[in-house]
Structure formats: structure tokens, C-alpha cells
Amino acid sequence: MVKATVKKLCKQYTDLSDQDIKILQEMASSLQTYADLSGSYMFIDCKLKLSNQAIVVAEAFPTGSTPLYNNSVVGRIVFESFEPGVFYSYRNGKKSIIQQAMTQEGIVVGQTVVPIKNRHHQVIGVLISEKQVKSLLPANDVKTFSIVTETAEDQVTGAGLSVVSDLLMEMLILTDSDDRLVYANPAGLQLISEMSGQDDVINRNVLDMLPFLQSVYEQEDDVFVFELTTQKKDLTVKKIRMREKNKSQETLLIIQDNTELRTKEKELMMKSVVIKEIHHRVKNNLQTVASLIRLQMRNNMPVESRAAFEETLNRIYSISSVYEIILRKEHADDDDVNIINLTRKICSTMVLNEYNLKVDLIIEPNGNKIITSSKKAVSIALIINELIQNSLKHAFQGKESGIIDVEFIVDQDFVELHVSDNGVGMKDPQTSLGTEIIHNLVTNDLNGEFLYIPREIGTHAVINFPVGAEVEIFDE
């Protein structure tokens, strides 16, 4: 029965594979043993597939213990607001210990959360151990409420808390068992007045004034989080229902207005769409220019001019590669480019296009991940293009094969790009359009240095440029 429930909930609410579900089923079948051995309440939670929430898929209570929960919580949604340890372990894959955590039934517990991982070391669920802890309040102050120690109205409107609640950006709305408003902080009063058009609101039914809260009050769970969109506002509503000896009392709503945040998100989304469209147009325009050049090359072009046009096509392709990499990213407004990936793309295409020459291409990132802005990436793309093009054009004359090695060496302050080959070499490097392009880009765009290192076999070029705001280094 336990295994069947785990499978059903995981299939319905998660993206877990059959193998992952089997791991959770095996753990769930031993959950009762863990609970009895430790004297703790045990749970298994899994992330929902379409949200940042989780769901309880299995539970076990110590045999013979006083019930910590009135009802089964299997199938209940878990919110990060109330159980941050669950989501910490999910994100970081580490154990989480919280000395005092408030459960979604308003019970103070000590909670330990351990991530459950599959054979690929991916977190597929969390194992939770809970024990009720004693309140920190003196014994004579502890009453029968599970969430508050006196009536909620007294608690919220007490001298100290009243000042705090008045300063909160969040809206606090407190209603009695008949859903009549008994307290609201200034932000809450402003919301009710704005949405209902009424000023005299105390002791009036909150659902008559704010009918969009109907679904909040109809939800049976004592603690729940809602995302509500009205005609005017986007709201996050946390509901906490107070109980005394299982008798329904006040309901506290903590409301956060996300309207301005959602508006900014929409603006950013529009900006992202515009930037993506610009990247598309630049890429398409480059492809159009390349197509025109190819058309010109087919139109009785002299053989001596063909090589220059092919070099121009390679330069256009190198720039276009930058925008192709950006457009593949999930967020088009993020125009950072992975230089290692860019280098692989440019070099492999150029080498594959050399039909009459077999070249072994070696790219050595040395465990580095180098991220630059799109502007720097265009400069680096053109530099790499010129260096590889020079090797393919001049290094292997009279040979059928060769080796080109591209290596990135990084220290804290500088990146070194080494491009070497085992070709015929250059005893006296001559100035050409390609070397002029490299010098100008390295000096003006990268604020770096370009030089050839003498060697007995082949050619060895080095580009050196500083790490900075637009050039960042990460360990791969």
C-alpha cells in the first residue's frame, strides 16, 4: 500500500523516472522502522514538477506515541515559507537541521532533513525527521493554542507587535470565526479600502468586501499559501487558521502585493524579447551578407580573388557564431558567451572545411570556463579565426596532415590563448591583413598583447589579455 501510494503521487505530481520512484518506494517501505527506532515522525517529500513547492509522498509515526498530527499529511503540498529546510536540502544536496521549525499545522518541531539521491547523485526527494519541542515561553504563559499563546487579536495588537505590524510592508488581516474583520494593520486597511471602496470595515464580513478571498477561506488546510490575481493586483496570500481545542477560531492572512514586481517582470520579459529579436536580426543580416559573397564567388570570379573572399566569409561566420551561441541560451538578454564553446565551434568548422588536408584539432581549456561579454566575444572570435586561418593556409604546404593546438592558460589576473601548429613555421613573420586585424583587436578591444614565440617546428602565437568585469573565469 505504501509503495503504491508513493508511485501514484510521484507519477501524478513529479517528473521523477521509474528508477527514481523505485528508490523512494524502497525507502518508504522502511520508514516505519526508522520512526520506531528514532522515536521521530518521518516523512518523504518530493518537488512538484510545475512549481517550486513540494508534496508529501510517505509518512510514518512512532508506534504508541501521542499523535503529533491529527490527520495524515500524505498528499499535502509543502511551502518553502513554512519548511525552508526541505528546500535548502533540495537545492544544495546537503543535510539541514532546524532546532525549531513551524509545521503547516502550527506545531513547533525540531526538524532534520536529509537529501535522497539517485545513482547520478541527483536529489530526487528528502527524508524528514521531526520531533515536537517544548515552547520557549514560561509554563504559565503557554495556553492551548497551537500557533499563538493567546487570542490572535490580542497577540497581534499587543503593544510591541502592534508597532511592528504597523511598519510592515505586508498586509495583516485578522478575521474571527464568522470571517468578520477584527484587525488589520495600516497596509491591510489600505488594501481593503482600495479594493472594496469602503472605509468603515471593522467587524464587517471580509468576503463581502474582498470576494476574491473566497477560495482562501474555503481551503480546509489550516496553513496554506495562495497566488491570487485580481483585476487590479497580483497577490501572495498566506493563510493561518488558529484553533483552540480543535475549535476553529481566528484566521490570519499575511498578504504580499506583487503587482509592481510582476509589472517589472513583464517589462524585463519584453526587453528580453526585443534583445533576442536584435540578436536574430544581426545573425540574419550576417547570413545575408555571406550569401551575397557566395553568389559573387559563383559569378565567374577570378581564381586569384577567391581566397580573399573565402577569408572574408570565415570572418563573417566567426562573428555569426557569437550570436548563434547567445540565441541558444534560455535567457536572450544574457549576452555572456562561453569562449571555450565558441572556440570549439569556430575551429571545428574551419578544419572540417579543409577537404584536401587532414588536421588533428586539439583544444585544451585546462579546466577553465571563460565567460565574456558579446563585444569581447566577437573580438576573440575574429582573433581565433585569423590564427587558425593562417595555420590552415600557410603551415601545411606540401603536407597531407598536421596538428593545430589551441590552449587556454589562466592565472588570477590574465588569460593566455596559445595557438600552435607543427607546420613549416615562420622564420620572419610578415605583416598581413590578418596580423593587422589581430594586433588591432588585441590592443584596442582586449587591452592585451600579441606575439609569436620562436620554435624549431611550426608556429606558436600567444594572445595575452587581462581578466576583468567583461572577462570572468570559473572552474569547469
Side-chain angles (χ1 to χ4, degrees):
M1 185 66 180
V2 173
K3 287 187 176 182
T5 302
V6 171
K7 183 175 182 180
K8 179 182 177 182
L9 291 172
C10 288
K11 285 285 188 182
Q12 185 174 355
Y13 295 104
T14 77
D15 286 326
L16 295 173
S17 67
D18 290 340
Q19 283 187 324
D20 291 342
I21 294 173
K22 284 181 180 178
I23 295 172
L24 295 174
Q25 285 178 305
E26 291 303 316
M27 183 158 289
S29 65
S30 303
L31 213 56
Q32 187 60 55
T33 303
Y34 296 150
D36 290 338
L37 283 172
S38 64
S40 303
Y41 283 70
M42 306 295 299
F43 305 93
I44 295 176
D45 290 4
C46 296
K47 286 282 288 291
L48 297 181
K49 56 185 171 185
L50 296 177
S51 74
N52 291 324
Q53 298 158 359
I55 186 171
V56 183
V57 299
E59 66 183 4
F61 305 153
T63 304
S65 65
T66 303
L68 189 60
Y69 292 85
N70 295 325
N71 302 298
S72 170
V73 296
V74 171
R76 178 172 291 184
I77 303 301
V78 178
F79 299 97
E80 185 168 6
S81 306
F82 299 102
E83 300 204 36
V86 169
F87 296 86
Y88 171 86
S89 292
Y90 241 109
R91 291 195 188 99
N92 299 286
K94 297 179 180 178
K95 181 179 180 180
S96 167
I97 299 176
I98 299 180
Q99 306 253 342
Q100 291 195 50
M102 179 76 75
T103 72
Q104 291 186 197
E105 288 205 352
I107 303 165
V108 180
V109 296
Q111 187 183 76
T112 301
V113 184
V114 179
I116 304 169
K117 299 181 181 180
N118 60 16
R119 59 192 182 91
H120 301 296
H121 301 288
Q122 298 167 323
V123 179
I124 59 174
V126 291
L127 179 65
I128 304 164
S129 170
E130 289 182 357
K131 284 186 178 181
Q132 188 168 13
V133 298
K134 294 180 180 180
S135 170
L136 294 179
L137 293 171
N140 58 355
D141 284 341
V142 179
K143 300 185 182 177
T144 54
F145 285 96
S146 59
I147 295 180
V148 292
T149 57
E150 47 191 316
T151 66
E153 182 181 4
D154 292 340
Q155 184 81 333
V156 174
T157 57
L161 289 180
S162 179
V163 174
V164 174
S165 67
D166 288 355
L167 295 174
L168 288 175
M169 297 281 296
E170 288 84 358
M171 293 148 266
L172 300 184
I173 295 176
L174 184 67
T175 59
D176 62 16
S177 57
D178 295 320
D179 302 334
R180 291 175 302 194
L181 181 68
V182 295
Y183 171 79
N185 68 344
L189 288 171
Q190 183 179 348
L191 173 73
I192 297 171
S193 177
E194 181 183 344
M195 300 295 285
S196 68
Q198 301 175 25
D199 294 325
D200 184 16
V201 296
I202 296 297
N203 292 323
R204 297 193 58 183
N205 189 297
V206 75
L207 296 180
D208 291 340
M209 297 182 288
L210 305 176
F212 62 85
L213 292 176
Q214 186 72 43
S215 60
V216 175
Y217 279 82
E218 288 176 351
Q219 172 59 243
E220 293 182 358
D221 288 342
D222 286 351
V223 179
F224 211 80
V225 180
F226 301 79
E227 296 283 344
L228 296 179
T229 301
T230 69
Q231 202 169 21
K232 298 178 180 179
K233 294 183 178 295
D234 287 295
L235 305 172
T236 298
V237 182
K238 296 179 183 178
K239 181 198 76 173
I240 304 175
R241 183 172 287 129
M242 315 298 180
R243 291 186 183 275
E244 182 179 15
K245 295 181 180 178
N246 296 324
K247 179 181 176 183
S248 180
Q249 296 292 312
E250 294 98 335
T251 298
L252 176 65
L253 303 182
I254 305 171
I255 303 175
Q256 184 174 357
D257 188 350
N258 300 318
T259 308
E260 187 176 349
L261 177 63
R262 296 290 181 263
T263 301
K264 289 181 179 178
E265 286 177 352
K266 289 176 184 177
E267 290 173 354
L268 287 172
M269 194 176 297
M270 288 300 298
K271 178 185 174 184
S272 177
V273 171
V274 171
I275 291 173
K276 188 171 185 177
E277 179 61 24
I278 291 171
H279 290 330
H280 266 298
R281 290 189 182 186
V282 171
K283 176 176 170 287
N284 291 341
N285 288 342
L286 289 168
Q287 290 178 341
T288 300
V289 172
S291 297
L292 291 172
I293 292 174
R294 290 191 189 95
L295 187 62
Q296 181 68 42
M297 291 173 68
R298 294 192 195 104
N299 190 20
N300 299 321
M301 175 175 287
V303 175
E304 59 271 17
S305 302
R306 192 173 189 85
F309 275 77
E310 286 178 348
E311 290 177 4
T312 301
L313 279 174
N314 282 336
R315 290 169 187 139
I316 293 172
Y317 169 76
S318 299
I319 299 172
S320 178
S321 295
V322 174
Y323 293 96
E324 284 183 23
I325 288 175
I326 292 173
L327 288 169
R328 287 199 199 106
K329 299 174 74 172
E330 183 178 352
H331 302 289
D333 55 336
D334 176 9
D335 70 344
D336 290 346
V337 178
N338 186 322
I339 295 304
I340 306 298
N341 292 343
L342 177 65
T343 301
R344 288 193 179 104
K345 181 175 177 58
I346 293 171
C347 294
S348 58
T349 302
M350 294 178 69
V351 168
L352 288 172
N353 286 337
E354 288 293 321
Y355 303 110
N356 300 320
L357 181 65
K358 181 181 180 302
V359 175
D360 289 330
L361 175 65
I362 302 171
I363 297 177
E364 301 179 77
N366 290 318
N368 298 305
K369 180 179 179 182
I370 305 171
I371 304 296
T372 74
S373 64
S374 58
K375 179 183 176 183
K376 298 280 187 188
V378 168
S379 299
I380 294 170
L382 286 169
I383 290 167
I384 290 170
N385 171 79
E386 295 302 326
L387 292 172
I388 299 298
Q389 195 163 248
N390 283 345
S391 289
L392 294 173
K393 184 177 179 181
H394 302 294
F396 307 112
Q397 293 178 358
K399 294 188 174 186
E400 295 181 356
S401 63
I403 298 172
I404 297 178
D405 191 312
V406 181
E407 183 178 13
F408 292 89
I409 299 175
V410 176
D411 64 21
Q412 291 184 346
D413 301 315
F414 287 91
V415 176
E416 289 184 5
L417 167 61
H418 296 254
V419 178
S420 58
D421 60 58
N422 65 341
V424 296
M426 283 190 303
K427 294 182 180 178
D428 184 19
Q430 300 294 317
T431 301
S432 64
L433 176 60
T435 55
E436 285 186 11
I437 289 173
I438 295 171
H439 271 293
N440 288 334
L441 292 173
V442 171
T443 303
N444 299 324
D445 289 0
L446 300 183
N447 194 28
E449 297 177 344
F450 165 52
L451 59 108
Y452 282 105
I453 297 178
R455 57 186 295 177
E456 293 183 5
I457 300 175
T459 305
H460 185 179
V462 179
I463 308 295
N464 185 303
F465 57 94
V467 174
E470 292 185 86
V471 180
E472 296 182 283
I473 311 297
F474 303 91
D475 290 332
E476 189 73 287

